[in-house]
Amino acid sequence: MSDVILVPAVFRCPDHDNHELLTARVREQVDREAEWFSERSSEVFRVSVVCPGGASDAMPHRRIYDGTWSRAVAASRVA
């Protein structure tokens, strides 16, 4: 769903710099949750995603993130 805003918008592993990958994985899970709660305009979430590790430490591990999503008001354009 493109109308979901995550707060905060970036998720990081405190041990590795995989913020783009982890943020994408969190967004994916929250998008699914937003579909389940489609009647709500905002909701608290807790999701679990896998961090693949880093260059020197390639051991995958699970991270849990908490936050809140809310729906953006879609601005419609008139041509």
Side-chain angles (χ1 to χ4, degrees), residues 7-79:
V7 181
V10 176
F11 297 88
R12 298 179 187 277
C13 172
D15 304 319
H16 305 99
D17 189 25
N18 293 322
H19 62 277
E20 289 179 14
L21 175 66
L22 296 182
T23 297
R25 289 180 179 179
V26 171
R27 281 183 185 271
E28 206 174 274
Q29 287 193 34
V30 172
D31 282 350
R32 280 196 295 271
E33 183 173 301
E35 286 181 36
W36 298 332
F37 297 112
S38 59
E39 75 283 357
R40 300 182 190 176
S41 61
S42 181
E43 188 65 51
V44 173
F45 69 83
R46 170 172 275 187
V47 296
S48 173
V49 298
V50 173
C51 173
S56 61
D57 174 19
M59 188 64 131
H61 53 277
R62 193 160 289 282
R63 291 281 172 203
I64 296 174
Y65 297 96
D66 296 304
T68 303
W69 61 262
S70 59
R71 295 190 188 281
V73 177
S76 60
R77 284 193 190 164
V78 177

